[in-house]
Amino acid sequence: MSEKNFNAFEMAQAQFDKVAEILNLDDSTRELLRSPLREYHFSIPVKMDDGTMKVFKGFRIQHNDSRGPGKGGIRFHPQETVDTVRALAMWMTWKTSVVDIPLGGSKGGVICDPHNLSAREQEQICRGFIRQIAKDVGPLRDVPAPDIMTNPQHMLWMLDEYETIFGAKYPGFITGKPVSIGGSLGRTEATGYGVIYTVRESLKQMGIKPENTTAAVQGFGNVAQYAIELYQQLGGKVVCVSSWDQSEQKSFTFRKKDGIDLKFLMSITDRFGGINKQKAIDGGYEVLPGDEWIKQPVDILLPCALENQVTGETAKFIQGTVKIIAEGANGPTTPEADKIIEEKGIFMIPDFLANAGGVTCSYFEQVQSNMNYYWEKDEVLSKLDTKMTSAFLSVSELAKKKKLYMRDAAYVISINRVAQSCKDRGWV
Ligand code: GLU
């Protein structure tokens, strides 16, 4: 499925270089923005449950903080690489910029597989991560959040370690906290809902009613589940989802042509988004190969899994019915696939715009934590909708006006803002 020799950082740089040309950026701004400002690579020794010691590799990469403290999640993944974290940090800079929140871009990662770690071992990784990086992050420097295979519990362990080191309460140090301890209502839903706010606006512009559309989804984690929830509430029909099968080490597509039952699928899914194959078959789902989701004759494709999933090879299978691709995942589409999608005339809602709902709600969480006063869920979600919709409209207007591919239009807005703040600060 994925492109061989894929390097996410090279891809992020290629996307940046293309737009740097369009913007005619000067050399020093290009040099500054195409690499991270700072990188931390460290080892996290952990005493495992069986008494042995294991050393995990961790990274925190701060791409740019000219618009405010760095912001971005920490991923746990067995295939994590430093170049993936570099790319994701850079995409965070563009993400916070496109929704115009006063934050920069960072990302963290640990090479580990939580499927095979006990809760205590995961807690030790979280605390060890913070011990290595505590002095270089913080509410006014760099603020972490959850991402792939990390959740509110991991954030709370990290916060607790940070507060233990510095001897005071710093609820603004981390976002995605449990709602009972300083988290924001709506944060869990925010990324998936945000994706659908942008889809809703695109359909509106096309004059298509959501209830007359169908979608295929890749992935069944936090982002996918809430995207499906809101899309179904708008009346849309999801015909399939794909999910990773840990025991077989490959993914499968679960199809029900008359529409999947979200509640049922969630009831047979583990905490990493893995759907139980046998129970799905018993529930009347067709189980197809993992990349079948992209070949479905639907109106909307929602890649909500990992990077490097829509490639030059698989994009060829996208059906003529597809009008919109909204990237719930970070970096799912390779530049080669982008070319094919652009040629097909499909409306692309790029990752750092489509999935910016998560970080936007993280910003709201920080604001609430700093005030020590929390909003009702409706208030959070309505503020989120306003922010996402206005960012979407700015990008789509520019795309129309300058006849740009949506990804390039989003980049033009983001890079312009970051370049300007670097200039204003006298960095370039
Ligand atoms: N990890 C999420 C992302 O990639 C959210 C980051 C955040 O909330 O800071 O956008």
Side-chain angles (χ1 to χ4, degrees), residues 60 70-75 88 91-92 95-96 101 103-104 106-107 143-148 150 175-176 187 191 223 328-330 351-352 355-363 365:
R60 184 73 186 172
K71 189 82 192 78
I74 297 174
R75 312 202 309 177
L88 290 161
W91 286 326
M92 284 311 303
K95 201 181 294 193
T96 52
I101 54 179
L103 295 166
S106 294
K107 202 82 178 194
V143 181
D147 201 276
I148 300 222
T150 53
T175 62
R187 177 65 186 84
T191 313
V223 180
N330 290 313
D351 47 5
F352 63 96
N355 71 37
V359 74
T360 303
C361 194
S362 278
Y363 164 59
E365 182 177 330

Side-chain angles (χ1 to χ4, degrees), residues 119-359:
R120 193 201 62 84
E121 290 165 344
Q122 292 180 49
E123 178 179 349
Q124 292 315 306
I125 294 179
C126 290
R127 292 187 184 277
F129 189 99
I130 295 303
R131 283 199 293 276
Q132 294 302 326
I133 198 76
K135 292 184 179 57
D136 300 299
V137 292
L140 303 177
R141 285 190 154 194
D142 181 9
V143 181
D147 201 276
I148 300 222
M149 288 205 265
T150 53
N151 60 36
Q153 175 65 74
H154 296 112
M155 299 305 108
L156 185 55
W157 285 325
M158 291 187 185
L159 175 67
D160 188 66
E161 190 65 28
Y162 186 84
E163 292 181 337
T164 304
I165 291 169
F166 292 105
K169 298 296 170 198
Y170 294 95
F173 160 61
I174 208 158
T175 62
K177 299 183 287 293
V179 172
S180 56
I181 309 187
S184 173
L185 290 166
R187 177 65 186 84
T188 313
E189 295 88 340
T191 313
Y193 277 19
V195 172
I196 300 305
Y197 295 148
T198 67
V199 169
R200 180 197 64 203
E201 292 306 308
S202 317
L203 288 171
K204 212 183 274 173
Q205 291 186 351
M206 293 173 183
I208 301 172
K209 289 203 167 81
E211 57 265 38
N212 296 333
T213 65
T214 55
V217 182
Q218 187 193 31
F220 200 57
N222 169 265
V223 180
Q225 289 177 5
Y226 285 102
I228 293 169
E229 182 177 279
L230 187 60
Y231 175 65
Q232 289 184 333
Q233 278 171 21
L234 296 180
K237 184 163 82 182
V238 175
V239 298
C240 71
V241 298
S242 81
S243 120
W244 177 252
D245 190 304
Q246 178 67 10
S247 57
E248 297 198 35
Q249 289 290 297
K250 59 178 177 188
S251 57
F252 293 101
T253 297
F254 298 85
R255 186 169 70 180
K256 196 161 212 180
K257 283 185 180 164
D258 54 358
I260 62 139
D261 178 342
L262 178 62
K263 278 214 180 86
F264 168 72
L265 282 183
M266 282 174 74
S267 75
I268 59 165
T269 297
D270 67 22
R271 63 187 194 285
F272 304 108
I275 296 172
N276 184 303
K277 210 166 112 194
Q278 193 50 52
K279 288 184 181 161
I281 294 170
D282 295 344
Y285 285 77
E286 293 174 80
V287 179
L288 309 166
D291 55 5
E292 277 294 315
W293 70 277
I294 207 171
K295 304 178 183 173
Q296 302 302 309
V298 290
D299 303 291
I300 302 162
L301 291 176
L302 300 173
C304 299
L306 283 172
E307 59 278 354
N308 189 24
Q309 298 301 307
V310 182
T311 63
E313 216 175 284
T314 59
K316 290 191 285 224
F317 296 111
I318 297 175
Q319 301 290 307
T321 53
V322 174
K323 297 163 192 74
I324 297 171
I325 300 179
E327 296 181 321
N330 290 313
T333 307
T334 66
E336 222 181 291
D338 256 335
K339 267 190 221 130
I340 298 171
I341 292 164
E342 193 173 355
E343 274 162 25
K344 285 179 185 267
I346 297 170
F347 190 74
M348 163 64 77
I349 314 175
D351 47 5
F352 63 96
L353 172 62
N355 71 37
V359 74

Side-chain angles (χ1 to χ4, degrees), residues 63-64 88-98 104-106 418:
H63 173 260
N64 191 280
L88 290 161
M90 191 164 172
W91 286 326
M92 284 311 303
T93 302
W94 314 136
K95 201 181 294 193
T96 52
S97 174
V98 82
S106 294
V418 178

